[in-house]
Amino acid sequence: MKTPPNDGRSIKSDETLFTIIESLKQTNGAGVTELGDRLDLAKSTVHKHLVSLEHNDYVVNEGGQYRLGLQFFSTGIHVRNQYDVYHAAKERIDKLAFDIDEAVWLIVHENGMGVFVYGVAHNNSFTFDSTIGTRVNLHANSAGKAILAHLPENEVVDIIDHHGLPAQTENSITDRETLFDELEVIRDRGYAMNFQEDLQGLHAISTPVINDGRPVAGVTIAGAANRLTEARIETDLTEPLLEAVNDIELRLVYG
């Protein structure tokens, strides 16, 4: 959970509300007393927020156990539909996944993090429903690195200053200079690779979707490390990925 800002902009009641929502997400549902104990909040405070959330269909009360409601799903779908790149990429990602028999993902950049907004796990390597909506650090993800490589340097510095370079695995880049060196290689090469940097046993390749000179997303091919070897990535997957992203970029421009 994010640390709330301490510059006076944060409203305590709002922070409490979001803390309750995140806790319900983590626990898959809880009662008033459990939430109060877990979050060190008065039961009356928790109850007031839950009543408000229930009134607006954001939580469901099942015999005193509260869980998140499908209103969040409706809101999430609405947000995703606002991204032109989602509509431009969806059909092409489906085709790419079918052609190469691997999982393909669309990841967008939001507030210095990467967010999985669409994916096709054609060979059942992933449970894609549990991945959609996941937020990841950009520096330890192939799509994230592809996006960072095409952002202005001052924006990359701001992202690092805000989110840091936490290690996801022992292979994650945690040094700023090393990251900038790799971003330069990615710009020259045209794609980013991830060899078990965010998840053990996973390899991936990604290239950015550029629109009006800015990276609006990254398209990633991901799979088990023993299948997506560096040799296979470079000989069999690079060209199909670059062709797919080129088509997506054309669709963004010409609709």
Side-chain angles (χ1 to χ4, degrees), residues 37-57:
D37 292 343
R38 179 182 175 88
L39 303 174
D40 194 23
L41 294 170
K43 288 192 291 184
S44 59
T45 299
V46 173
H47 186 257
K48 288 177 183 178
H49 282 294
L50 290 173
V51 168
S52 178
L53 287 165
E54 181 183 4
H55 177 72
N56 290 283
D57 297 324

Side-chain angles (χ1 to χ4, degrees), residues 8-253:
R9 293 176 297 173
S10 175
I11 300 173
K12 185 176 181 180
S13 179
D14 291 346
E15 294 297 336
T16 300
L17 178 65
F18 292 128
T19 299
I20 290 171
I21 291 170
E22 284 298 320
S23 187
L24 287 174
K25 179 181 174 182
Q26 293 167 8
T27 60
N28 290 321
V32 172
T33 300
E34 180 182 347
L35 284 169
D37 292 343
R38 179 182 175 88
L39 303 174
D40 194 23
L41 294 170
K43 288 192 291 184
S44 59
T45 299
V46 173
H47 186 257
K48 288 177 183 178
H49 282 294
L50 290 173
V51 168
S52 178
L53 287 165
E54 181 183 4
H55 177 72
N56 290 283
D57 297 324
Y58 283 98
V59 301
V60 176
N61 180 0
E62 297 176 330
Q65 288 290 112
Y66 292 85
R67 62 172 175 81
L68 298 181
L70 287 172
Q71 185 73 341
F72 282 104
F73 178 73
S74 174
T75 301
I77 293 296
H78 172 77
V79 171
R80 184 171 71 174
N81 284 337
Q82 291 180 310
Y83 281 89
D84 291 339
V85 68
Y86 164 69
H87 299 286
K90 183 177 181 297
E91 181 180 334
R92 194 59 179 84
I93 284 176
D94 291 345
K95 181 180 184 305
L96 178 60
F98 179 82
D99 288 344
I100 63 173
D101 195 28
E102 295 290 351
V104 183
W105 303 98
L106 178 69
I107 299 172
V108 301
H109 167 220
E110 183 181 82
N111 293 334
M113 299 287 284
V115 185
F116 287 78
V117 296
Y118 185 69
V120 180
H122 184 71
N123 60 7
N124 298 317
S125 297
F126 297 87
T127 306
F128 96 94
D129 282 342
S130 64
T131 305
I132 299 300
T134 300
R135 305 177 75 84
V136 293
N137 287 96
L138 295 173
H139 74 284
N141 178 277
S142 60
K145 290 190 294 183
I147 291 167
L148 287 174
H150 291 81
L151 286 175
E153 184 174 332
N154 65 303
E155 291 187 34
V156 178
V157 170
D158 287 343
I159 289 170
I160 295 172
D161 288 344
H162 185 72
H163 294 284
L165 298 172
Q168 306 300 316
T169 72
E170 61 182 15
N171 296 320
S172 302
I173 296 174
T174 57
D175 174 74
R176 187 177 299 220
E177 184 176 345
T178 302
L179 177 62
F180 276 104
D181 287 345
E182 176 151 352
L183 297 183
E184 184 175 354
V185 171
I186 292 167
R187 281 190 294 273
D188 292 340
R189 187 174 56 200
Y191 56 89
M193 291 189 285
N194 167 11
F195 296 120
Q196 305 186 70
E197 294 174 42
D198 60 351
L199 189 66
Q200 291 289 351
L202 180 76
H203 285 178
I205 175 177
S206 180
T207 194
V209 179
I210 306 293
N211 189 37
D212 289 333
R214 284 186 62 84
V216 295
V219 177
T220 297
I221 299 172
N226 65 332
R227 277 202 323 276
L228 264 67
T229 62
E230 185 171 1
R232 184 184 171 212
I233 285 174
E234 293 182 345
T235 59
D236 298 336
L237 302 180
T238 302
E239 185 174 344
L241 175 62
L242 294 173
E243 288 178 354
V245 170
N246 184 61
D247 287 346
I248 293 167
E249 289 174 343
L250 288 173
R251 292 181 189 188
L252 277 172
V253 174

